[in-house]
Amino acid sequence: RSIEIPAGTAATLDLNGNTITAANNQRVFNINGGTLEIKDSVGNGIIQGNGTVTGSGGAIYMAGSGSALTISGGTIQGFTASTSGGGVYMRDGTFNMTGGAIENCTASEGAGVKMYPDSGNTCTFTMSDSAEIKNCSNDGVSIARSGTSKFIMSGGTIDNNKGYGLWTS
C-alpha cells in the first residue's frame, strides 16, 4: 500500500544504505500537498519497484497545491507504470533533485519523470549536482502541454534512455 503525504505533512526518508521494495504492483508514495525528502546518508540505498502500477506514477505520484519532493540521494529503480511517469509523475508541485538516481524505469512516456500539470497548476522540476536519470524506457523526462511546466537543469545527467532524454509536447 502507498504511503500518503497529505497537506501540512513533512516527511523525511533516509535510506541509510538499505533497500526498500515496493508492495507488489504498488507505488511507494502519494504526495498530496505535503513535503517528502528522500536522502541516503550511507550510500547504496535503493527504492525498488515490484510489478506494474496501474495508471501513472510508478514510484511517486505528486498532486495537490504545495506538493514538494526533494531527492538528494538513493536510487529509485525498476518501477513500471502502465501509462506514464515510471519514476515520478507530477500533476502539481515542486521536485528538486540534487543527487541520487532514477533508473531502469518503464512507462509509455516520461519513464523517468513525467510532468503533466492540470490546467492552472504548475510543475517545477530542478535537476542539479550529481542527480541522474538513466536507462529508462520512453523518455527520461517528458513534459506535457497543459498547465505550466518548468524544467531547470544546472547539473546532473540524463543518459541512455530510450526515446528522448528530454521530450516536450
Side-chain angles (χ1 to χ4, degrees), residues 19-149:
T19 297
I20 295 171
T21 301
N24 193 36
N25 302 322
Q26 296 293 313
R27 78 176 53 93
V28 181
F29 295 104
N30 285 318
I31 303 173
N32 192 9
T35 300
L36 173 63
E37 176 187 6
I38 298 172
K39 61 184 182 177
D40 185 16
S41 59
V42 173
N44 298 317
I46 295 169
I47 300 174
Q48 176 67 48
N50 182 13
T52 300
V53 174
T54 300
S56 300
I60 300 170
Y61 187 96
M62 297 177 67
S65 179
S67 293
L69 171 63
T70 300
I71 297 177
S72 61
T75 299
I76 294 172
Q77 71 179 25
F79 281 87
T80 299
S82 67
T83 55
S84 59
V88 177
Y89 186 86
M90 300 179 72
R91 298 284 306 182
D92 199 0
T94 303
F95 176 17
N96 185 25
M97 188 176 185
T98 61
I102 297 171
E103 61 184 50
N104 301 315
C105 291
T106 303
S108 61
E109 59 183 49
V113 177
K114 175 68 177 183
M115 300 167 69
Y116 201 139
D118 293 320
S119 180
N121 290 354
T122 300
C123 291
T124 302
F125 175 26
T126 303
M127 193 172 171
S128 63
D129 302 330
S130 62
E132 296 179 290
I133 297 174
K134 61 185 181 180
N135 305 325
C136 294
S137 75
N138 302 317
D139 314 324
V141 178
S142 176
I143 304 169
R145 183 182 48 170
S146 67
T148 301
S149 293

